[in-house]
Amino acid sequence: MASASLRQSMLAYGSQAMAFSLISSSFNFYYVKVFLDIYHIEQMWFHLAQALFLVWNAINDPLFAYLQDSTSSRFTRTRRESILYAAPFFALSYIVPWFSWGSNPIMVGLHLILTLFFWDTMLTFVGLAASALFTEISQDPDHRLKLVRIGSIGCLFGACSVSILEYTSGSLTNFFGFQVTSICIGVASYLLFRYTGNNGHTQYDREKMSSGIESDITHDKSLQNQSYLSLSCQIIADKNFVSFVVMNFFQIFHTTFMANFMKVMGDELVQLHDIEEFPWLRSFFYGSSRFLPMILIISTTPLIGKIGYYNTIKVSFLWKITAGIGMYMIGRNHPILLMLYMALDSCFANAMFSMFNMPLSDIVDTDMQKHHRSHPISSLVYGNNALVTKPAISLSPMMTVAVLNTYGYQQLDKKTLTVPQISSLHDTMFLLLCIQPIVIGTLQLITWSFYSIRDRKTNQVNKVFTATTDNILN
């Protein structure tokens, strides 16, 4: 019975991973493009929205983390109930940006501000609960490695949303088709989150259920007597946590850049006449950036299990530096090669990011043992991680848009740029695509070297990865 319950919890985790992937991949891929090229938001409003968004990001993660770990309301007493009750609002926050409030610059600016606030509020609340669910379904490292694979399978299915939207909207040329499809995607994500909310039990929930207690508070009651500040100081004092979050800040900066600007830069650097023999290639290229990372994780988990997540992540930084240098030396006049480079850069960055729950879970376990807690403060660890790293989500597009507009991107649609100006803009885009990974990869390689937990758990026998997905779930 316990084994069946564990398998059900793992399947529920995969369900939320698919739901997350469905809406987050397409939201990040399209929202900048839609507000810049369809709603024509003014730069001042774009930067104001991102600046306010950055402040809200710094507040909501620790706030929701503390609420989820130390309060016992119906919305927060279990991880699954947090997901269950927030699911419809999360789906709605995905749909809001795709329906214009009007062409007035103020309305467009307010639309973006509300979009980012609503989206990130629900993303944070559900994301913290889902991340804590990963950590608390089981402390067994084999089970956690199964969850990485199951989550990747869920994300792989969910990543199809970009390809579907590209097809139904004709790369945003048919915006009504885009709107209708986005509603369908939002409804599908809600149903998947609802399944998780009904079936995603942690090991602590299962222990209470097996003892005849069907519902109880899943928190360490002693946490209610400790302030957020004191708990956060205990977390931040850990050098492994500091090493991880600094590295993660740069990873989020890079993945946000690729998610928001791959289409923007891809449309400019790879013109349709450059690939006229393969007219389908660009749409496939955009869609592949969403499912290739998951295929990479699923297919290489046996190798990851052998060398450990620490070395795997380290190798990804070395690849990032090498590939950036190589592409820069080759130049931008090779469109198919440039598309391959962008796809692989996005693929490796997102694939490694999907593994980051592993080191965070080890940090949670270490904190629990060090401070003799009866229950892990998973949400607080994930929340403090987000407190440091989430600003990268705003800083990345702000800095990139500022650079691009300096070289005339805002005037591109007005057809006022000369050929030399357009060439200069394209050179700048290419430079950003190459130099950013080199700099970020170098900084990550340095900061990651201070992480000392290493492969405390991931160096166990790799038998889990030889099983097929059916064996995992049946």
Side-chain angles (χ1 to χ4, degrees):
M1 179 64 183
S3 178
S5 178
L6 175 60
R7 287 196 297 270
Q8 186 181 57
S9 295
M10 288 183 168
L11 183 60
Y13 178 80
S15 176
Q16 68 78 31
M18 180 176 176
F20 247 106
S21 181
L22 273 173
I23 57 178
S24 64
S25 59
S26 50
F27 179 91
N28 290 326
F29 191 78
Y30 284 107
Y31 95 86
V32 172
K33 180 78 171 177
V34 167
F35 275 91
L36 286 177
D37 294 353
I38 294 180
Y39 300 158
H40 303 293
I41 189 171
E42 294 183 351
Q43 182 174 339
M44 183 273 291
W45 279 104
F46 184 85
H47 286 308
L48 177 62
Q50 294 291 348
L52 293 173
F53 178 46
L54 189 152
V55 174
W56 176 234
N57 258 329
I59 298 172
N60 66 4
D61 288 283
L63 172 64
F64 292 148
Y66 185 69
L67 288 175
Q68 288 186 8
D69 272 343
S70 63
T71 62
S72 56
S73 69
R74 189 169 183 81
F75 290 91
T76 60
R77 64 183 179 181
T78 63
R79 307 304 184 188
R80 67 173 187 83
E81 285 173 306
S82 293
I83 296 172
L84 177 65
Y85 293 119
F89 301 102
F90 195 14
L92 180 61
S93 73
Y94 168 76
I95 296 172
V96 164
W98 316 131
F99 293 85
S100 175
W101 293 4
S103 58
N104 183 282
I106 296 177
M107 294 305 298
V108 175
L110 292 176
H111 187 187
L112 179 58
I113 291 171
L114 180 64
T115 289
L116 293 178
F117 272 58
F118 190 19
W119 167 259
D120 191 65
T121 297
M122 304 319 304
L123 177 75
T124 299
F125 190 84
V126 177
L128 285 172
S131 297
L133 186 65
F134 173 94
T135 300
E136 297 173 15
I137 282 179
S138 174
Q139 288 187 319
D140 188 319
D142 285 351
H143 293 159
R144 284 179 176 169
L145 289 170
K146 287 182 182 180
L147 286 173
V148 170
R149 197 175 200 185
I150 293 171
S152 296
I153 293 170
C155 289
L156 176 60
F157 285 110
C160 67
S161 63
V162 172
S163 296
I164 292 171
L165 285 165
E166 279 288 293
Y167 176 77
T168 59
S169 70
S171 291
L172 290 181
T173 56
N174 177 10
F175 196 61
F176 177 73
F178 178 88
Q179 291 172 317
V180 172
T181 307
S182 69
I183 293 175
C184 296
I185 290 173
V187 172
S189 69
Y190 163 70
L191 295 175
L192 290 165
F193 277 127
R194 184 176 177 83
Y195 179 83
T196 303
N198 288 322
N199 299 283
H201 299 284
T202 68
Q203 70 176 54
Y204 307 97
D205 299 332
R206 295 193 300 274
E207 288 170 1
K208 290 166 185 173
M209 292 165 65
S210 64
S211 301
I213 305 174
E214 295 189 3
S215 182
D216 199 356
I217 299 171
T218 62
H219 311 107
D220 184 344
K221 295 181 180 179
S222 65
L223 296 180
Q224 298 177 6
N225 299 322
Q226 298 186 54
S227 68
Y228 165 77
L229 184 60
S230 64
L231 290 170
S232 294
C233 287
Q234 293 173 4
I235 296 169
I236 295 173
D238 182 1
K239 74 169 186 177
N240 291 304
F241 178 81
V242 175
S243 171
F244 174 83
V245 296
V246 174
M247 178 275 293
N248 194 18
F249 173 89
F250 293 116
Q251 189 77 3
I252 290 178
F253 190 99
H254 184 52
T255 55
T256 301
F257 169 77
M258 294 305 298
N260 291 170
F261 294 97
M262 176 180 281
K263 183 169 178 61
V264 171
M265 296 185 181
D267 285 353
E268 290 301 317
L269 296 177
V270 184
Q271 301 287 333
L272 287 176
H273 62 76
D274 292 329
I275 51 173
E276 57 185 358
E277 296 182 3
F278 310 99
W280 50 269
L281 187 58
R282 196 160 68 174
S283 292
F284 175 79
F285 156 62
Y286 291 140
S288 69
S289 66
R290 303 298 151 180
F291 61 78
L292 281 179
M294 302 306 108
I295 293 178
L296 179 64
I297 288 293
I298 295 167
S299 61
T300 60
T301 42
L303 178 62
I304 294 171
K306 290 179 180 179
I307 69 176
Y309 67 74
Y310 175 83
N311 289 322
T312 302
I313 294 171
K314 185 176 181 179
V315 168
S316 75
F317 301 151
L318 293 171
W319 183 92
K320 188 182 297 186
I321 297 168
T322 304
I325 294 173
M327 191 68 237
Y328 179 76
M329 294 177 66
I330 292 171
R332 69 175 177 88
N333 296 319
H334 303 273
I336 294 181
L337 187 60
L338 181 59
M339 291 173 65
L340 178 63
Y341 164 74
M342 292 171 65
L344 290 176
D345 187 33
S346 177
C347 172
F348 278 95
N350 283 287
M352 292 306 103
F353 185 75
S354 69
M355 291 181 55
F356 283 4
N357 278 353
M358 293 293 292
L360 273 173
S361 293
D362 277 353
I363 291 170
V364 169
D365 292 343
T366 302
D367 171 86
M368 184 179 175
Q369 296 168 5
K370 180 178 179 181
H371 298 283
H372 308 290
R373 308 189 197 281
S374 62
H375 190 279
I377 52 173
S378 307
S379 290
L380 275 168
V381 172
Y382 283 99
N384 278 282
N385 164 65
L387 175 65
V388 177
T389 60
K390 276 284 191 75
I393 298 176
S394 295
L395 290 173
S396 181
M398 286 174 65
M399 294 173 65
T400 305
V401 168
V403 171
L404 294 181
N405 283 344
T406 300
Y407 288 88
Y409 179 78
Q410 202 168 31
Q411 284 76 46
L412 196 59
D413 286 342
K414 300 176 182 178
K415 310 296 183 183
T416 59
L417 295 181
T418 63
V419 172
Q421 287 174 323
I422 293 175
S423 179
S424 178
L425 175 62
H426 289 176
D427 286 340
T428 301
M429 289 180 172
F430 178 74
L431 191 65
L432 285 172
L433 287 171
C434 296
I435 299 301
Q436 188 187 97
I438 297 172
V439 175
I440 287 178
T442 301
L443 293 172
Q444 287 180 304
L445 198 60
I446 295 170
T447 55
W448 189 231
S449 65
F450 292 97
Y451 182 84
S452 61
I453 299 178
R454 304 290 167 96
D455 304 313
R456 181 169 59 90
K457 295 188 175 183
T458 55
N459 58 3
Q460 294 194 7
V461 179
N462 188 39
K463 63 179 183 294
V464 63
F465 294 111
T466 59
T468 63
T469 303
D470 289 339
N471 288 333
I472 292 174
L473 299 178
N474 295 323

